[in-house]
């Protein structure tokens, strides 16, 4: 059984939340599952990195912006691997390029094109829980690229597709997908299941709960995605065929 779990920024915002996510991950590993954990940057880190860059140069090149923004996910990955290690489980963190996530060269909005090595598989075979940085990859020039805001979802779905995972879970700060943003509309209705095309229409309408390309990729590879709360762990919304 291979499971990909992605944790968003709010779900990793502080040490307690990282530990809580690590406990869920190790619980799965204890049951015998192979686990890949995809992490976003903590809290508002990506926005803060953009601000830092803009203080230096309002029009920094897209290549250098990617070099700057990929840092947030790298920090999260190291912290997550350490938190898993603190619970007594072997873990290794990998950047996008170490994991072999190849992309095109559209800096700031790159598209994943393939998985260029078998490092993740090898680490899983060694018994490691593999923590992968979301939101980033590498282009044909070996330059770091980022996938566009919210792109860690797409990293998770891409890995689930390339490695034929049994399940791809997107842990976030709401307990599923609603017909409207539940933070803005308290009367919003939650979906138990949702087809890919309806999810894509919600995203077009502004629902940034999932990155659009993650849903397109899930649809193209027929990967069901579960969107669920990292705080409760209760069953969430299945976005699927
Ligand atoms: P993460 O950091 O975990 O990736 P995001 O902020 O990208 O989280 O997505 C989760 C947020 O999406 C929620 O906090 C919610 O406010 C917002 N959201 C917008 N539209 C919807 C919707 N239709 N259903 C659920 N959440 C939605
Ligand atoms: N950290 C990136 C962002 O804030 C990617 C992500 O969270 O999915 O957009
Ligand atoms: Mg997101």
């Amino acid at each position: 059984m291979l499971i990909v779990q992605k944790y968003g920024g709010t779900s990793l915002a502080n040490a307690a939340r990282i530990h809580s996510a690590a406990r869920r991950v190790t619980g799965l590993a204890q049951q015998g599952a192979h686990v890949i954990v995809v992490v976003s940057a903590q809290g508002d880190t990506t926005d803060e990195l953009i601000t830092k860059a803009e203080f230096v140069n309002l029009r920094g090149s897209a290549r250098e912006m990617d070099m700057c923004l990929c840092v947030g996910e790298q920090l999260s990955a190291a912290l997550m691997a350490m938190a898993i290690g603190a619970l007594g489980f072997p873990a290794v963190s990998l950047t996008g390029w170490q994991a072999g996530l190849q992309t095109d060269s559209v800096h700031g909005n790159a598209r994943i094109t393939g998985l260029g090595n078998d490092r993740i598989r090898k680490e899983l075979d060694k018994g490691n829980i593999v923590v992968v940085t979301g939101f980033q990859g590498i282009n044909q020039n070996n330059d770091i690229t980022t996938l566009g805001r919210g792109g860690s979802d797409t990293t998770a779905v891409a890995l689930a597709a390339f490695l034929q995972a049994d399940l791809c879970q997107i842990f976030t700060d709401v307990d599923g997908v609603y017909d409207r943003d539940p933070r803005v509309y308290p009367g919003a209705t939650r979906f138990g299941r949702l087809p890919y095309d309806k999810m894509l229409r919600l995203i077009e309408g502004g629902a940034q709960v999932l990155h659009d390309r993650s849903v397109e990729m899930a649809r193209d590879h027929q990967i069901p995605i579960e969107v669920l709360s990292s705080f409760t762990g209760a069953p969430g919304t299945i976005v699927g065929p």
Side-chain angles (χ1 to χ4, degrees):
M1 180 94 159
L2 173 63
I3 298 178
V4 178
Q5 291 196 330
K6 177 257 172 177
Y7 290 90
T10 317
S11 309
L12 302 171
N14 53 45
R17 288 184 185 175
I18 292 176
H19 275 292
S20 157
R23 279 193 294 277
R24 181 174 296 107
V25 168
T26 55
L28 266 183
Q30 190 130 45
Q31 290 167 36
H34 290 296
V35 192
I36 299 171
V37 188
V38 174
V39 289
S40 289
Q42 292 181 280
D44 296 327
T45 299
T46 305
D47 292 324
E48 288 161 13
L49 289 169
I50 291 172
T51 305
K52 265 185 205 292
E54 287 178 349
F55 267 122
V56 173
N57 182 346
L58 262 183
R59 276 181 287 277
S61 77
R63 180 191 182 280
E64 300 310 332
M65 282 306 284
D66 279 355
M67 191 72 174
C68 173
L69 296 193
C70 72
V71 169
E73 273 68 16
Q74 197 166 325
L75 174 60
S76 289
L79 295 176
M80 176 60 79
M82 288 187 225
I84 293 169
L87 294 168
F89 287 75
V92 62
S93 65
L94 300 175
T95 62
W97 69 265
Q98 287 174 310
L101 276 162
Q102 296 172 327
T103 73
D104 64 21
S105 284
V106 183
H107 284 288
N109 195 26
R111 203 176 264 282
I112 294 175
T113 53
L115 193 63
N117 68 40
D118 57 1
R119 178 77 187 269
I120 294 180
R121 184 60 75 191
K122 281 189 174 145
E123 296 293 348
L124 291 171
D125 289 345
K126 281 195 251 170
N128 278 316
I129 294 170
V130 183
V131 184
V132 182
T133 53
F135 179 58
Q136 58 174 266
I138 192 162
N139 69 13
Q140 281 188 324
N141 301 326
N142 287 346
D143 284 332
I144 292 170
T145 53
T146 65
L147 309 181
R149 298 305 302 267
S152 296
D153 300 330
T154 301
T155 306
V157 174
L159 291 179
F162 295 144
L163 296 163
Q164 295 173 328
D166 298 283
L167 191 59
C168 180
Q169 294 180 308
I170 305 286
F171 285 92
T172 184
D173 54 7
V174 287
D175 61 358
V177 179
Y178 287 73
D179 60 347
R180 291 168 291 172
D181 187 339
R183 291 191 189 285
V184 182
Y185 303 97
T189 306
R190 198 176 76 98
F191 296 103
R193 268 195 103 80
L194 193 64
Y196 298 121
D197 55 344
K198 194 158 178 194
M199 185 70 232
L200 285 167
R201 282 203 297 277
L202 279 178
I203 294 172
E204 268 171 34
Q208 39 53 291
V209 59
L210 285 176
H211 192 229
D212 53 355
R213 285 182 184 164
S214 71
V215 181
E216 288 165 5
M217 187 156 239
R219 178 197 59 199
D220 295 349
H221 293 86
Q222 295 292 295
I223 308 276
I225 310 174
E226 184 178 13
V227 179
L228 67 174
S229 164
S230 62
F231 304 126
T232 68
T237 300
I238 303 285
V239 180

